[in-house]
């Protein structure tokens, strides 16, 4: 079974953003900084030169991991649906003004790859969106999903999931942080994804790692998180 969790997690925020209402300009706080456009956000993404020796950074094209409606995974608990829309997202009607996705690996640590998504928003939307995600985590812990079946429900593929919020200190450079672990228990090997969402002014940075079986997903590399948040903050300050 292919691991599809890392990059699509960023699209969960797009799904939630599509359902958010417009909010006032002051919600991101007095030090929110300027909103970044697409070139500015890509320039704010980490490069290998921003990290120590041994790191490799690949900047990817966002928005390519979408699934047709007939393959949509449906949760038996409605409050959990945004999480599954992250795993196999559909195109959102609205979302961030800009997005940049990247992967970071380190020599000698093949299991510690970090996938990151940077999302830029207008004033107030980043804070509102993080609040929406917090609500999902408060009402969704264990659930079952189904894919396919159509006219033959008995042929639908079902999967068990667990979603656990993780207590984590706010990293340097972030205004707020939300962390959680999502598991996919559809077979003999459990797939897990650990995610850390940090809000920096008008932007969100999502860091995630993947684990399988007895090797659960590791905490995203603190050095990668620190360096990316610092570069994102500097870009917003101009």
């Amino acid at each position: 079974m292919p691991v599809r969790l890392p990059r699509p997690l960023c699209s969960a925020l797009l799904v939630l953003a599509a359902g958010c209402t417009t909010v006032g300009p002051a919600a991101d706080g007095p030090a929110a900084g300027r909103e970044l456009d697409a070139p500015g956000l890509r320039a704010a993404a980490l490069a290998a030169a921003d990290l120590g020796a041994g790191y490799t950074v690949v900047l990817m094209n966002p928005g390519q991991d979408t699934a047709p409606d007939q393959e949509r995974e449906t949760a038996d608990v409605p409050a959990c649906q945004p999480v599954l829309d992250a795993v196999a997202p559909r195109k959102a009607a609205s979302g961030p003004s800009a997005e940049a996705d990247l992967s970071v690996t380190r020599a000698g640590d093949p299991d510690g790859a970090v996938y990151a998504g940077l999302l830029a928003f207008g004033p107030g939307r980043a804070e509102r969106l993080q609040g929406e995600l917090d609500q999902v985590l408060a009402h969704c812990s264990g659930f079952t999903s189904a894919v396919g079946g159509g006219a033959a429900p008995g042929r639908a593929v079902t999967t068990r999931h667990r979603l656990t919020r993780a207590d984590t200190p706010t990293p340097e450079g972030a205004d707020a942080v939300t962390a959680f672990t999502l598991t996919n228990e559809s077979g003999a090997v459990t797939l897990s994804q650990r995610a850390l969402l940090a809000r920096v002014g008008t932007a969100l940075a999502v860091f995630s790692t993947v684990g399988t079986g007895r090797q659960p997903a590791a905490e995203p590399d603190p050095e990668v998180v620190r360096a990316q948040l610092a570069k994102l903050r500097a870009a917003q300050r101009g």
Side-chain angles (χ1 to χ4, degrees), residues 130 170-171 174-178 197-200:
Q130 187 169 36
T170 301
D175 297 317
V177 65
T178 300
L197 181 148
R199 177 166 52 84
V200 180

Side-chain angles (χ1 to χ4, degrees), residues 37-223:
D37 57 15
L41 193 63
R42 288 179 71 86
L46 277 180
D50 300 314
L51 299 166
Y55 283 95
T56 299
V57 180
V58 177
L59 190 60
M60 301 178 288
N61 293 322
Q64 296 180 342
D65 297 315
T66 57
D69 285 347
Q70 63 267 29
E71 295 181 9
R72 190 187 189 208
E73 193 170 5
T74 305
D76 63 343
V77 180
C80 302
Q81 188 62 46
V83 178
L84 295 181
D85 286 337
V87 177
R90 299 171 298 165
K91 293 227 178 254
S94 64
S97 56
E99 178 184 356
D101 297 334
L102 59 147
S103 66
V104 184
T105 56
R106 187 175 186 179
D109 186 18
D111 298 325
V114 177
Y115 300 86
L118 309 180
L119 306 172
F121 295 93
R125 287 184 65 82
E127 185 175 38
R128 174 66 179 268
L129 189 51
Q130 187 169 36
E132 293 285 334
L133 181 59
D134 287 339
Q135 290 181 26
V136 171
L137 294 175
H139 296 91
C140 180
S141 55
F143 61 100
T144 300
S145 67
V147 179
R155 300 183 61 183
V157 177
T158 60
T159 303
R160 295 188 308 276
H161 302 273
R162 282 183 292 108
L163 182 64
T164 306
R165 182 163 190 157
D167 292 329
T168 185
T170 301
E172 180 182 354
D175 297 317
V177 65
T178 300
F180 61 91
T181 298
L182 173 67
T183 65
N184 179 327
E185 302 173 352
S186 58
V189 177
T190 297
L191 304 180
S192 64
Q193 180 180 16
R194 183 163 176 168
L196 184 150
L197 181 148
R199 177 166 52 84
V200 180
T202 57
L204 295 173
V206 190
F207 305 90
S208 62
T209 60
V210 172
T212 59
R214 296 182 179 179
Q215 293 184 322
E219 176 186 1
D221 187 335
E223 178 62 20

